[in-house]
């Protein structure tokens, strides 16, 4: 914010009128066509809302902003001005019809472009808070509204500091009542709608389950948690769970809650978003544990529930130390057979469908490839891995790779596996669950390397293959050090800094960059880049240096294909200019 504030609020800063004014217009418009004089905004806090109909994250954020606007506009001096990024007037009009505030006319593209430039808008939705003099108050209006809603008004740095200090005080003085009781509610509910006073939960160990019923990960975790909950109840443990649903669909909330045995906050309870901040939620599902004193015992035991089930109770530091020791002993005793043999399941599949006994693989270097056909990054990585696999097999027959599928049906598995030259676990094999838990597979593609003894060499083999290809084999720490030494030696003859015609503004500095796209040839590069940090500009060594520089041959920087994307890219909660 400081950089934009310095530019907007500096000596050459425009006032509100000059920000929104054009020579042909001294007004803004409402959706009914009414013209509102810019000067009528004097004395108000203004949010400049950069948004567009084509932007999914914008469409999701706009109703939330409408709710906050309706709450504030009638009580305090708050106004919003829509600055459209739409590509045609019909889209603008249709989108603007859902908004109760003002807008820069669509026809005034010059003002809209100028505001984009003044406030350095690189992604939408973007909500910039300014005062009635046009000075920047808060550039992160979207984040502030999502997190604090109307409570953040007037959105000034002083108000944000006050909110942060109050949050810290609440964490220090936390009790069960301060977490679950609000001025309008002192109860939680059962699935049949009965109210249970929060006071009845005091003195118990409480799990606060943050979840969204429609998320697959939450559904899977909830079924495991229900088993743990029932076992603890059978053991007469003083334990209770309170669901804090972040679901925005009431029917989905009810359908989920009706199948679970625990308590919950009412649907769409306003304290839910406050609690996500209070416990600094970063992932879903999350199960926060409060001790009998109401203090936070653990910020998230979801992974522990997945790994250990009821054994992890009561989720104390002592219990986790005990589990850590057990896990360490288990890892030290790990063999290929302990990982891949379960009862009668003592084999994997060969390409011809024949069973290959795990015992035949003992003593080899093994890669475990967690992947799925529905996963675009997996489909992009698999062809490179096939190439690397073949290169390694040419050098060492005592090497094998096993595909562990997360595909959704046999047909998808068969189609995907047909592209692979290695072994596989059968589709739907129950060993997949235990392997995913052992290697803590949080995302795919994931590649784990095992040594000849069956012990884990690294869980980061995907990165090593991406950076070094077959040269990374056998993926040991010693081999990585050898490669690092080679790259260090390779760069000794290169200048530390260069000037280049494609980037005359700054010198380019020789920098270690894991992966980048060269701004000259548009191809992928790894390890060494001539880089400008300020401009995020990269050149391969071969592109930055003269053609006769000693950068070719066996020690050349590895490269691959890749094209930069044009226009806008939508990812998660934001659409950004690439």
């Amino acid at each position: 914010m400081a950089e934009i504030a310095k530019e907007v609020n500096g000596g050459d800063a425009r006032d509100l009128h000059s920000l929104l004014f054009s020579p042909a217009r001294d007004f803004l418009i409402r959706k009914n066509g009414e013209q509102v004089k810019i000067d009528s905004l004097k004395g108000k806090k203004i949010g400049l809302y950069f948004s567009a109909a084509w932007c999914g994250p914008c469409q999701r954020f706009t109703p939330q902003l409408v709710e906050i606007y309706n709450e504030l506009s009638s009580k305090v001096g708050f106004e919003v001005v829509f600055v459209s990024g739409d590509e045609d007037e019909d889209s603008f009009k249709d989108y603007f019809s859902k908004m109760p505030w003002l807008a820069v006319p669509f026809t005034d593209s010059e003002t809209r472009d100028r505001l984009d430039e003044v406030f350095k808008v690189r992604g939408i939705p973007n909500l910039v808070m300014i005062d009635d003099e046009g000075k920047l108050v808060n550039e992160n209006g979207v984040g502030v509204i999502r997190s604090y809603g109307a409570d953040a008004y007037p959105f000034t740095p002083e108000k944000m500091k006050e909110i942060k200090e109050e949050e810290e005080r609440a964490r220090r003085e936390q009790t069960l009542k301060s977490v679950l009781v609000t001025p309008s509610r002192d109860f939680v509910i059962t699935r049949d709608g009965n109210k249970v006073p929060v006071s009845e939960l005091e003195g118990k160990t409480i799990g606060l389950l943050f979840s969204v019923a429609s998320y697959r990960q939450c559904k899977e975790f909830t079924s495991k948690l229900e088993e743990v909950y029932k076992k603890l109840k059978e053991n007469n443990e003083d334990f209770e769970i309170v669901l804090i649903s972040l679901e925005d669909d009431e029917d989905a909330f009810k359908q989920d809650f009706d199948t679970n045995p625990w308590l919950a906050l009412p649907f769409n309870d306003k304290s839910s978003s406050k609690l996500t901040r209070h416990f600094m939620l970063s992932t879903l599902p999350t199960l926060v544990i409060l001790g009998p004193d109401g203090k936070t015992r653990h910020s998230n035991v979801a992974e522990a529930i997945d790994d250990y089930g009821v054994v992890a109770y009561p989720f104390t530091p002592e219990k986790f130390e005990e589990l850590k020791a057990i896990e360490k002993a288990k890892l030290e005793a790990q063999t290929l057979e302990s990982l891949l043999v379960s009862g009668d399941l003592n084999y994997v599949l060969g390409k011809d469908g024949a069973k290959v006994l795990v015992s035949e693989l003992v003593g080899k270097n093994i890669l475990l490839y967690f992947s799925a056909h529905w996963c675009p990054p997996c489909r992009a990585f698999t062809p490179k891995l096939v190439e690397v696999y073949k290169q390694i097999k040419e050098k060492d027959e005592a090497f094998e790779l096993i595909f562990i599928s997360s595909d959704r049906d046999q047909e998808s598995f068969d189609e995907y596996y047909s592209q692979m030259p290695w072994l596989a676990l059968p589709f739907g094999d129950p060993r997949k669950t235990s392997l995913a838990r052992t290697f803590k597979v949080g995302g795919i593609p994931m590649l784990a390397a095992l040594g000849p003894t069956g012990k884990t060499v690294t869980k980061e083999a995907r990165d090593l293959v991406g950076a070094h290809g077959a040269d990374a084999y056998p993926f040991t720490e010693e081999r990585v050090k050898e490669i690092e030494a080679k790259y260090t030696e390779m760069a000794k003859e290169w200048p530390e800094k260069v000037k280049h015609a494609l980037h005359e503004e700054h010198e380019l500095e020789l920098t270690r960059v894991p992966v980048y796209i060269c701004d000259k040839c548009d191809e992928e590069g790894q390890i060494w880049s001539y880089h400008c940090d300020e401009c995020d500009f990269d050149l391969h060594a071969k592109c930055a240096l003269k053609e006769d520089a000693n950068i070719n041959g066996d020690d050349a920087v590895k490269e691959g294909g890749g094209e930069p994307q044009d226009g806008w890219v939508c990812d998660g909660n934001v659409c950004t200019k690439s």
Side-chain angles (χ1 to χ4, degrees):
M1 176 172 171
E3 181 182 344
I4 297 178
K6 183 177 180 182
E7 183 169 331
V8 176
N9 300 346
D12 295 329
R14 305 165 174 85
D15 60 22
L16 180 66
H17 191 273
S18 61
L19 271 175
L20 300 176
F21 169 85
S22 76
R25 175 188 54 78
D26 64 352
F27 59 86
L28 301 167
I29 60 171
R30 295 199 182 277
K31 58 187 175 185
N32 62 3
E34 177 190 353
Q35 297 180 359
V36 177
K37 294 289 187 181
I38 295 171
D39 289 343
S40 70
L41 300 180
K42 274 292 182 182
K44 295 184 178 182
K45 288 285 188 297
I46 296 105
L48 298 179
Y49 184 37
F50 299 86
S51 186
W54 53 261
C55 162
C58 301
Q59 291 279 6
R60 292 192 291 274
F61 177 70
T62 296
Q64 190 175 355
L65 183 58
V66 169
E67 183 180 344
I68 301 306
Y69 175 84
N70 288 339
E71 183 177 346
L72 289 176
S73 61
S74 60
K75 299 177 183 177
V76 296
F78 179 60
E79 188 54 76
V80 172
V81 178
F82 174 37
V83 184
S84 174
D86 287 302
E87 298 168 357
D88 61 83
E89 192 163 8
D90 286 342
S91 296
F92 164 79
K93 287 180 178 178
D94 181 62
Y95 190 33
F96 187 37
S97 70
K98 304 171 186 176
M99 302 175 183
W101 45 70
L102 306 173
V104 175
F106 181 79
T107 53
D108 191 356
S109 58
E110 184 177 334
T111 297
R112 292 189 288 117
D113 291 344
R114 175 165 46 81
L115 289 170
D116 274 358
E117 186 61 34
V118 167
F119 293 101
K120 301 186 184 302
V121 176
R122 298 295 179 262
I124 56 175
N126 194 324
L127 182 63
V128 177
M129 303 296 189
I130 59 176
D131 64 17
D132 63 348
E133 295 180 353
K135 293 188 180 296
L136 184 65
V137 173
N138 196 314
E139 67 171 329
N140 185 30
V142 171
V144 169
I145 291 294
R146 281 183 177 142
S147 296
Y148 304 105
D151 291 341
Y153 184 83
F155 314 111
T156 59
E158 294 77 16
K159 182 61 178 180
M160 301 313 300
K161 181 181 178 183
E162 178 187 324
I163 289 174
K164 296 291 185 184
E165 288 174 349
E166 174 57 27
E167 288 180 336
E168 287 302 317
R169 185 198 63 76
R171 291 189 186 102
R172 289 193 305 270
E173 301 175 6
Q174 178 181 303
T175 65
L176 185 64
K177 283 187 176 180
S178 73
V179 169
L180 292 180
V181 173
T182 69
S184 60
R185 178 186 50 74
D186 62 356
F187 58 87
V188 291
I189 59 172
T190 64
R191 59 185 173 186
D192 56 8
N194 291 329
K195 297 177 180 179
V196 177
V198 171
S199 58
E200 292 186 10
L201 304 180
E202 294 203 58
K204 294 185 177 185
T205 300
I206 304 294
L208 302 178
L209 174 59
F210 293 86
S211 179
V212 174
S214 54
Y215 284 12
R216 179 177 57 83
Q217 297 94 326
C218 292
K219 285 183 179 179
E220 292 174 354
F221 175 72
T222 297
S223 63
K224 296 174 187 175
L225 181 60
E226 187 172 352
E227 292 176 15
V228 171
Y229 180 83
K230 288 178 178 177
K231 287 178 182 177
L232 291 175
K233 287 298 186 181
E234 289 169 5
N235 295 338
N236 295 316
E237 297 289 354
D238 228 2
F239 177 67
E240 193 51 75
I241 292 176
V242 178
L243 170 65
I244 301 169
S245 176
L246 305 180
E247 181 65 67
D248 56 9
D249 182 273
E250 188 169 7
D251 289 337
F253 165 78
K254 288 179 178 178
Q255 187 176 355
D256 176 53
F257 187 34
D258 285 348
T259 63
N260 295 322
W262 40 67
L263 306 171
L265 294 188
F267 172 73
N268 209 22
D269 192 277
K270 288 195 173 182
S271 68
S272 297
S273 59
K274 182 178 179 182
L275 291 173
T276 64
R277 296 194 307 273
H278 180 84
F279 292 106
M280 295 183 280
L281 208 69
S282 61
T283 188
L284 289 174
T286 287
L287 185 64
V288 177
I289 300 298
L290 307 183
D293 60 356
K295 302 293 185 186
T296 301
R297 178 175 284 179
H298 200 287
S299 61
N300 188 9
V301 298
E303 187 175 315
I305 293 288
D306 270 337
D307 289 348
Y308 306 109
V310 73
V311 178
Y313 186 80
F315 313 110
T316 58
E318 295 78 15
K319 173 56 73 171
F320 282 107
E321 283 300 316
E322 178 187 327
L323 294 173
K324 187 177 177 182
I326 294 171
E327 190 71 19
K328 182 180 179 182
K330 183 179 175 182
L331 287 173
E332 289 173 351
Q334 178 179 298
T335 65
L336 187 65
E337 289 172 313
S338 72
L339 287 171
L340 291 178
V341 175
S342 177
D344 294 336
L345 296 171
N346 61 351
Y347 62 89
V348 294
L349 295 180
K351 284 303 294 180
D352 56 1
K355 294 180 180 180
V356 178
L357 295 177
V358 173
S359 58
E360 296 177 18
L361 303 175
V362 172
K364 294 187 176 185
N365 290 300
I366 303 290
L367 286 176
L368 301 178
Y369 182 37
F370 298 85
S371 185
H373 184 265
W374 53 261
C375 162
C378 299
R379 295 199 304 273
F381 179 66
T382 295
K384 177 164 189 173
L385 186 58
V386 169
E387 181 183 339
V388 168
Y389 172 82
K390 291 177 179 178
Q391 291 171 358
I392 296 174
K393 287 290 277 187
E394 287 177 3
K395 296 189 297 182
D396 187 2
E397 274 298 320
F399 163 72
E400 197 48 79
L401 190 151
I402 302 169
F403 170 43
I404 301 163
S405 172
S406 291
D407 284 304
R408 292 166 179 156
D409 53 66
Q410 183 75 50
E411 184 180 354
S412 298
F413 169 86
D414 291 341
E415 181 184 348
Y416 194 32
Y417 186 43
S418 69
Q419 305 166 23
M420 304 174 181
W422 42 68
L423 307 175
L425 280 191
F427 174 72
D429 194 295
R431 289 173 289 178
K432 180 242 176 180
T433 300
S434 63
L435 287 167
R437 184 165 59 244
T438 296
F439 293 100
K440 302 189 185 304
V441 179
I444 55 174
M446 193 265 200
L447 198 62
L450 309 178
T453 65
K455 289 185 172 58
T456 303
V457 172
T458 180
K459 299 174 186 176
E460 310 299 332
R462 177 198 174 190
D463 292 341
L464 296 177
V465 167
H468 310 301
D471 200 33
Y473 181 76
F475 311 105
T476 58
E477 187 176 342
E478 293 75 17
R479 180 58 188 149
V480 173
K481 287 180 180 177
E482 290 173 3
I483 293 172
E484 290 291 321
K486 182 180 78 171
Y487 279 113
T488 300
E489 187 66 27
M490 175 177 62
K492 282 184 178 179
E493 302 300 320
W494 300 347
E496 291 186 9
K497 296 182 179 181
V498 298
K499 292 285 288 183
H500 197 280
L502 289 179
H503 194 74
E504 295 180 340
E505 303 95 311
H506 308 104
E507 280 189 309
L508 302 176
E509 188 170 351
L510 186 61
T511 306
R512 295 294 294 267
V513 181
V515 180
Y516 61 91
I517 298 296
C518 175
D519 285 289
K520 180 177 181 183
C521 67
D522 284 341
E523 292 183 358
E524 184 180 286
Q526 287 119 7
I527 310 301
W528 288 116
S529 163
Y530 278 97
H531 178 74
C532 175
D533 192 54
E534 183 176 343
C535 304
D536 194 23
F537 184 91
D538 292 279
L539 290 180
H540 291 136
K542 73 172 185 177
C543 293
L545 305 178
K546 294 179 181 178
E547 290 184 3
D548 61 353
N550 184 24
I551 62 171
N552 296 306
D554 291 340
D555 289 337
V557 176
K558 297 178 184 287
E559 297 160 12
E563 291 294 329
Q565 303 224 0
D566 296 325
W568 291 80
V569 176
C570 292
D571 182 18
N573 284 326
V574 67
C575 292
T576 56
K577 291 178 182 175
S578 59

